[in-house]
Amino acid sequence: DPKDGALLDLNSTAKGVLLLSNVSLTDLEKIPGGVFVGITNEQDNNTELIGAMVYNTNIKTGRGLYVWTGAQWTRFKIDGNFDPFVPGEVGELKDPRDGETYYTGNFGPAGIWMLENLRYVPKAEEGYEHNGTSNSTDIEDKYYAYPGATGSYNTGTAETGWDKSWGVLYNWPGATNGRNTSDNEGDKDYITDKHPRIQGICPDDWHLPSDMEGSDLEEVIANDAGVLYSTAGAADWDDEWRTVDNGYRGTHGKKMKTNGTSKPADEGGFAALLVGRVLNSNRSSWGSTYFWASSSGTTAQAWYRDLTSSNEGVYRYRLGYKSGLHSVRCKKD
């Protein structure tokens, strides 16, 4: 029998429509008191409400459709998608190529980004070679390697001591999947033009972000008041930095990395891990991290960004070694 006072009153000409209660769930293991008829305190009548369905409006716990299992609220997910209009919301991406899942975050006007380093291990038939020497200067040779704090690179399927959370390192031809081989495809007017979108090593419907998109992301994180993406307040941001290179800019870099004030990935932070890179045949710079952009500077140069434990800013420059192996974060189309 229904609880005393329970009522379902449908009065509509629409077919197959049921408007669910809009509820702000602050704790996915509790029933909010006062929301349901006859329920006045949290945790009351857990089993009697099994199957209750609501639409959660709380961004921090994740907007969407939830059902009460008797112990927690469980969210319905469709292909890992989520409301694309809510900044700060955390979603999931499942890479169909290898089944790996990644946290993704909505950065408002800067779009939706992966909150973890790409860890896709490309196959030989895709034209990639597992090579950590980074000696080749040919802009069409596609290499990948595994980051690590100690040890040397090997030619096996995985690096000894490799942690998946570190992701995989790719040289620039590998990151772009050989797409951007010209000396000017990514070097158009930075303010007024964007070069063609390049999927590169990223999954379908995602792409390797351009240099301009990297600055868009920085600006959003810098201006965040410490609510959505980090635990710190707004940092300094100067729009002129979009055209300034070869130096650390601002203090917002601390809000983007795990040893700074970034929220963890599962809470919507960019959460950069300082896993180093491969340059000139050497694994180096553990305590820093480098992210490729899809934008080319010259035949020999490509844009990148660098975060390090010793500086609160973000370094933006054109690397003269497209053969260097860096991390990749993909952006949703």
Side-chain angles (χ1 to χ4, degrees), residues 165-213:
S165 68
W166 298 344
V168 171
L169 305 177
Y170 311 89
N171 67 349
W172 195 74
T176 60
N177 198 10
R179 163 72 190 280
N180 193 350
T181 59
S182 73
D183 63 356
N184 60 5
E185 186 174 347
D187 198 29
K188 297 183 180 180
D189 187 310
Y190 186 75
I191 297 297
T192 61
D193 201 357
K194 296 181 180 180
H195 68 69
R197 180 178 292 159
I198 293 175
Q199 178 178 348
I201 191 68
C202 297
D204 288 344
D205 302 319
W206 293 72
H207 64 276
L208 186 67
S210 69
D211 178 46
M212 176 178 281
E213 290 174 311

Side-chain angles (χ1 to χ4, degrees), residues 20 51-55 62-68 73-82:
L20 297 176
M53 296 176 65
V54 300
Y55 185 83
R63 289 192 0 160
L65 184 63
Y66 286 76
V67 62
W68 178 252
W73 293 100
T74 300
R75 181 181 179 183
F76 285 91
K77 293 184 178 180
I78 303 175
D79 297 331
N81 291 326
F82 58 99

Side-chain angles (χ1 to χ4, degrees), residues 153 275-279 282-286 288 290:
Y153 288 92
V275 298
R277 63 177 173 180
V278 179
L279 189 63
N282 295 310
R283 172 185 292 156
S284 64
S285 303
W286 189 266
S288 297
Y290 300 79

Side-chain angles (χ1 to χ4, degrees), residues 11-333:
N11 182 12
S12 173
T13 58
K15 296 181 179 180
V17 173
L18 176 62
L19 182 62
L20 297 176
S21 297
N22 281 221
V23 177
S24 178
L25 299 175
T26 57
D27 187 335
L28 297 183
E29 295 184 352
K30 292 183 179 181
I31 299 171
V35 173
F36 303 101
V37 173
I39 305 298
T40 57
N41 297 307
E42 292 179 336
Q43 300 287 48
D44 284 349
N45 299 303
N46 287 359
T47 57
E48 293 185 28
L49 282 175
I50 289 176
M53 296 176 65
V54 300
Y55 185 83
N56 180 26
T57 60
N58 192 303
I59 294 175
K60 291 185 177 180
T61 55
R63 289 192 0 160
L65 184 63
Y66 286 76
V67 62
W68 178 252
T69 66
Q72 63 182 8
W73 293 100
T74 300
R75 181 181 179 183
F76 285 91
K77 293 184 178 180
I78 303 175
D79 297 331
N81 291 326
F82 58 99
D83 188 340
F85 303 105
V86 183
E89 187 167 21
V90 179
E92 286 185 354
L93 161 67
K94 183 175 183 179
D95 191 336
R97 299 173 295 182
D98 57 9
E100 288 289 322
T101 58
Y102 301 85
Y103 287 116
T104 63
N106 188 331
F107 291 90
I112 298 171
W113 291 64
M114 289 173 53
L115 302 180
E116 301 175 72
N117 290 352
L118 184 68
R119 47 183 173 266
Y120 177 65
V121 179
K123 302 174 180 60
E125 53 266 33
E126 297 176 89
Y128 286 79
E129 181 182 350
H130 179 200
N131 188 334
T133 63
S134 71
N135 282 326
S136 174
T137 57
D138 190 324
I139 60 175
E140 295 185 357
D141 289 342
K142 300 187 294 186
Y143 293 152
Y144 73 94
Y146 301 90
T150 59
S152 59
Y153 288 92
N154 59 42
T155 57
T157 57
E159 184 73 20
T160 302
W162 176 59
D163 188 315
K164 273 190 175 184
S165 68
W166 298 344
V168 171
L169 305 177
Y170 311 89
N171 67 349
W172 195 74
T176 60
N177 198 10
R179 163 72 190 280
N180 193 350
T181 59
S182 73
D183 63 356
N184 60 5
E185 186 174 347
D187 198 29
K188 297 183 180 180
D189 187 310
Y190 186 75
I191 297 297
T192 61
D193 201 357
K194 296 181 180 180
H195 68 69
R197 180 178 292 159
I198 293 175
Q199 178 178 348
I201 191 68
C202 297
D204 288 344
D205 302 319
W206 293 72
H207 64 276
L208 186 67
S210 69
D211 178 46
M212 176 178 281
E213 290 174 311
S215 282
D216 291 342
L217 176 71
E218 286 185 55
E219 182 177 8
V220 168
I221 293 177
N223 290 332
D224 176 50
V227 176
L228 299 179
Y229 313 118
S230 80
T231 58
D236 55 322
W237 173 261
D238 186 335
D239 210 49
E240 291 185 0
W241 289 343
R242 293 179 181 277
T243 56
V244 174
D245 58 24
N246 195 20
Y248 284 100
R249 309 176 299 167
T251 60
H252 56 283
K254 66 182 179 181
K255 303 175 64 175
M256 300 175 67
K257 53 195 177 185
T258 54
N259 74 326
T261 58
S262 171
K263 287 186 175 180
D266 61 357
E267 295 181 16
F270 191 72
L273 298 173
L274 308 184
V275 298
R277 63 177 173 180
V278 179
L279 189 63
N280 297 331
S281 304
N282 295 310
R283 172 185 292 156
S284 64
S285 303
W286 189 266
S288 297
T289 191
Y290 300 79
F291 294 105
W292 281 125
S294 61
S295 305
S296 176
T298 66
T299 301
Q301 294 178 327
W303 288 95
Y304 76 100
R305 277 170 172 76
D306 168 24
L307 298 167
T308 182
S309 60
S310 60
N311 196 293
E312 294 184 341
V314 177
Y315 195 92
R316 169 181 174 262
Y317 197 53
R318 300 180 304 277
L319 182 68
Y321 301 91
K322 289 183 177 179
S323 55
L325 288 90
H326 292 180
S327 298
V328 163
R329 292 286 183 96
C330 301
K331 181 184 175 184
K332 188 172 178 60
D333 293 351

